[in-house]
Amino acid sequence: MSSRNGPFKGRTVAVVNDLSLDEQRYLYRKAGELKRAVLSGGDAAEFKIDDNDYSVYLIFMEDSTRTRESFRNAAKFLGARTNVFDAATSSFNKNESITDAVKMLYGYSDESCFVIRSKLEGVCRALEGSLGRYADSCGRARPAFINAGDGKHEHPTQEFLDEFSFLEQLGQRDERIHIALTGDLYHGRTAHSKADGLRVFREVTVDLVAPELLGLPPQYAQRMRDNGFEVRAYESLDEYLASGKVAPIWYFTRLQLERMGESVLEKAPLLRKAVTFRKDMLGLLPEGARFYHPLPRDRLAPTNPTFLDELPLNGWDGQSANGYWTRIALIAMASGLIGSDFQGEPRAEESFEDDFVHEAATAGRVKQEYKVGIKPVEEGIVIDHISSGESIEAIWGHLDAIRRMLKLDVRGGHGVFHNNKGSYKGIISLPDVTSFGGRDLKKLAAIAPGCTLNLVHEHRVVKKYRLSMPPRIYGFDEISCKNENCISAPKNLEGVMTEFLRESEAGSPGGAKFICRYCEREHAFKDIWDL
Ligand code: ASP
Ligand code: CP
């Protein structure tokens, strides 16, 4: 039995970025070493766990052939105990939550790795938290969770095998890639994972070829630009081929019919036509072009038709075989088996600076508006600049929400007043309140960023704090993720605490944006609330 204390032991891979770039490069290097060793009959002992107490659970709640089978074979190669969990006949049908099911399976072996495919987006991130806490409470090793495709969010292990395949084609040169992504970029999770996975190349040009209804969600296109990629968009293969700037690497994706709403589904034949390759297009491809596809392809209407199978263009068969090598290497990393020879930048630790309270200068005197009824506040707290600049109606809504959320059932007054910019703001006066607890302060900052909190003593403002958007908004009953496929969405009854991470500030071009910690759906600030 091998020792397993590598630096990636217990690492969850819910999204591509759960491995740093250098860690991804390490994965590709190790998968390459393994592939060469096995194919040349060499020694692959480095990749043997040979321990029946290390379990790999395959939990597939959505259909799969190659992801499930390559993981199953990978676990077998490693010599781990392999369990293919039959989700279709399990107690999920008795409304069991995924957390309860996994907690129980975790009890069956010393150490475990769960490979999970689910319609619920963000499931691995949620389990990393809940099972991690559970493991800590019983003093046991934290299990690793590997996302084998979650709804239309991400498919990180597909991404790793894709990048491994592109690097192979380019002779391991990572200076530059020019790639076309075509097909269903809207629902296709493999396309979404490209926004981070392609960073392994130092210079990236991505051509997005899809009709508008199947276009890459703006959030991912923006992420590509933020990552420094050059991004171009075309509506059809015909338009793309006429552009004269055609990539030598093409990545096809299947139309994800099972995820489409009715209105898109009925247009599927027309949409498919725009992204289906034809014989007459062959002559328009650059020299040495190669096609890839995560597979499966639709046997009735493949976008990369079978006349291509025998041509040197076919990169997808070798690509799918690479799933085996990259998944062996990934489990080997997550089990702690390999990794001691890793050098480079590790993944950055998550940290959230609670930077939402800033002390501000006070003018001393109490403003005219700081009143309760007709009487100026002598002692207490006044919350000022609430929703400054918003409509009068929105400000009244916020005043009401703040009083309800902070349970301000005390004597006081509130109202809408002019601000000094010619528009309006809200004020709440609380003469009986002398301090705010940290949690209430955070709640106030979360619901009314930009407001000030004034402590009044003997008619004077003795302290003033300006509150800004907290970096993280979580644990409030009044927030929820609006993606109904998210593991944290209330309707899924998985008991996962809602958590939003600040992506951009109020003053930034698109306004304040938050992303759900689990499914990463982007929300405008006002959309996180259920008020
Ligand atoms: N098999 C891949 C996935 O599950 C691609 C596809 O099904 O189209 O995401
Ligand atoms: N590429 C891929 O994920 O295939 P399966 O759906 O067959 O697992």
Side-chain angles (χ1 to χ4, degrees):
M1 206 201 308
S2 50
S3 73
R4 294 193 306 276
N5 292 313
F8 312 114
K9 190 179 172 105
R11 175 75 62 90
T12 281
V13 178
V15 295
V16 168
N17 280 347
D18 281 328
L19 295 186
S20 72
L21 258 186
D22 282 341
E23 291 169 352
Q24 291 166 37
R25 292 192 177 108
Y26 177 80
L27 169 70
Y28 304 142
R29 175 163 74 79
K30 295 312 274 189
E33 284 169 16
L34 168 72
K35 182 175 178 179
R36 281 189 297 281
V38 174
L39 296 184
S40 65
D43 180 17
E46 191 192 353
F47 295 90
K48 295 290 178 189
I49 291 177
D50 287 336
D51 183 356
N52 204 37
D53 277 333
Y54 189 85
S55 275
V56 176
Y57 281 96
L58 307 180
I59 303 181
F60 279 70
M61 300 159 81
E62 261 191 0
D63 300 339
S64 169
T65 297
R66 67 224 83 238
T67 311
R68 187 186 58 208
E69 293 311 309
S70 59
F71 265 118
R72 192 166 63 80
N73 283 287
K76 195 155 180 250
F77 178 94
L78 287 154
R81 191 190 332 162
T82 314
N83 301 271
V84 183
F85 180 82
D86 187 357
T89 60
S90 71
S91 288
F92 287 139
N93 294 333
K94 300 178 198 165
N95 278 343
E96 181 167 32
S97 74
I98 189 157
T99 310
D100 278 359
V102 168
K103 193 189 267 184
M104 203 224 23
L105 298 173
Y106 170 69
Y108 293 164
S109 34
D110 271 1
E111 291 178 9
S112 32
C113 168
F114 293 88
V115 178
I116 302 179
R117 171 170 289 189
S118 168
K119 281 189 177 40
L120 289 179
E121 300 173 19
V123 64
C124 287
R125 178 66 72 238
L127 289 169
E128 177 192 32
S130 57
L131 265 288
R133 287 188 294 276
Y134 177 65
D136 293 349
S137 74
C138 18
R140 293 185 46 206
R142 286 181 160 229
F145 294 95
I146 298 182
N147 178 7
D150 59 337
K152 57 180 161 47
H153 177 215
E154 279 220 28
H155 195 346
T157 70
Q158 177 72 46
E159 186 56 23
F160 297 147
L161 79 92
D162 291 346
E163 299 305 328
F164 179 81
S165 305
F166 303 152
L167 283 165
E168 252 185 354
Q169 184 195 328
L170 297 173
Q172 302 306 324
R173 286 191 312 274
D174 64 3
E175 294 88 23
R176 170 172 168 68
I177 190 168
H178 179 192
I179 186 170
L181 305 182
T182 184
D184 187 350
L185 310 182
Y186 183 80
H187 305 91
R189 52 199 174 198
T190 62
H192 304 167
S193 291
K194 293 269 164 309
D196 288 318
L198 282 167
R199 281 192 311 139
V200 76
F201 293 94
R202 292 165 210 275
E203 221 185 292
V204 181
T205 302
V206 183
D207 298 331
L208 305 172
V209 188
E212 203 182 339
L213 282 174
L214 303 183
L216 192 71
Q219 174 182 356
Y220 291 105
Q222 188 54 45
R223 197 183 293 183
M224 287 182 174
R225 287 189 208 95
D226 292 346
N227 283 336
F229 303 178
E230 185 185 351
V231 182
R232 304 189 285 226
Y234 306 85
E235 288 270 329
S236 67
L237 289 183
D238 282 315
E239 185 194 332
Y240 181 48
L241 285 165
S243 73
K245 298 186 204 152
V246 179
I249 296 180
W250 286 35
Y251 191 86
F252 285 81
T253 54
R254 177 179 65 88
L255 265 67
Q256 310 275 304
L257 304 175
E258 70 278 26
R259 297 186 213 290
M260 286 177 182
E262 284 292 311
S263 63
V264 183
L265 198 56
E266 66 193 24
K267 298 192 187 89
L270 204 68
L271 297 171
R272 179 183 281 118
K273 216 167 152 215
V275 290
T276 297
F277 196 82
R278 301 185 309 267
K279 275 194 181 134
D280 61 289
M281 294 172 167
L282 276 171
L284 301 171
L285 291 173
E287 177 95 23
R290 212 98 211 276
F291 287 178
Y292 293 89
H293 192 308
L295 303 178
R297 61 179 161 175
D298 187 321
R299 73 175 188 279
L300 294 176
T303 50
N304 56 335
T306 49
F307 72 81
L308 295 165
D309 289 11
E310 310 291 323
L311 302 181
L313 274 170
N314 177 346
W316 59 85
D317 285 334
Q319 173 196 3
S320 76
N322 281 337
Y324 180 53
W325 311 113
T326 48
R327 286 170 175 138
I328 294 174
L330 185 62
I331 300 177
M333 286 168 74
S335 67
L337 182 67
I338 61 169
S340 54
D341 56 340
F342 168 74
Q343 284 180 338
E345 248 339 276
R347 182 181 58 158
E349 286 302 321
E350 219 176 27
S351 86
F352 298 99
E353 223 187 300
D354 266 346
D355 57 353
F356 62 94
V357 185
H358 312 273
E359 191 159 350
T362 63
R365 67 190 162 72
V366 167
K367 287 189 202 168
Q368 264 294 318
E369 309 98 84
Y370 291 7
K371 290 181 185 167
V372 182
I374 53 163
K375 231 173 128 236
V377 172
E378 294 168 18
E379 295 286 331
I381 283 183
V382 177
I383 308 167
D384 194 357
H385 299 287
I386 296 167
S387 311
S388 188
E390 293 191 30
S391 69
I392 293 184
E393 193 190 0
I395 298 172
W396 277 115
H398 274 118
L399 291 174
D400 180 49
I402 292 169
R403 294 205 85 109
R404 262 186 300 125
M405 281 178 64
L406 297 182
K407 301 201 174 27
L408 295 174
D409 305 327
V410 289
R411 195 164 64 93
H414 63 217
V416 177
F417 298 82
H418 274 295
N419 64 13
N420 53 11
K421 295 184 189 112
S423 55
Y424 300 96
K425 65 175 182 177
I427 294 180
I428 299 179
S429 304
L430 303 163
D432 295 334
V433 179
T434 47
S435 68
F436 255 57
R439 197 173 154 73
D440 280 346
L441 208 57
K442 194 160 196 177
K443 215 170 190 179
L444 182 59
I447 185 158
C451 75
T452 58
L453 195 82
N454 299 271
L455 305 186
V456 181
H457 179 54
E458 293 176 354
H459 294 279
R460 294 184 68 77
V461 176
V462 289
K463 276 246 188 287
K464 177 171 174 168
Y465 299 100
R466 191 170 298 284
L467 306 184
S468 57
M469 290 266 183
R472 221 163 36 129
I473 300 182
Y474 60 100
F476 300 147
D477 292 341
E478 300 85 355
I479 54 172
S480 67
C481 177
K482 303 304 180 285
N483 170 12
E484 60 173 22
N485 296 317
C486 176
I487 184 91
S488 76
K491 91 176 226 303
N492 292 320
L493 299 173
E494 285 285 342
V496 174
M497 181 185 78
T498 309
E499 183 171 342
F500 286 102
L501 309 178
R502 188 179 67 204
E503 199 181 34
S504 58
E505 302 268 4
S508 58
K513 293 263 171 57
F514 281 79
I515 59 165
C516 168
R517 172 168 181 73
Y518 308 98
C519 71
E520 300 189 306
R521 170 75 65 89
E522 197 174 67
H523 291 64
F525 173 65
K526 67 176 179 19
D527 294 336
I528 71 177
W529 300 99
D530 305 316
L531 295 170

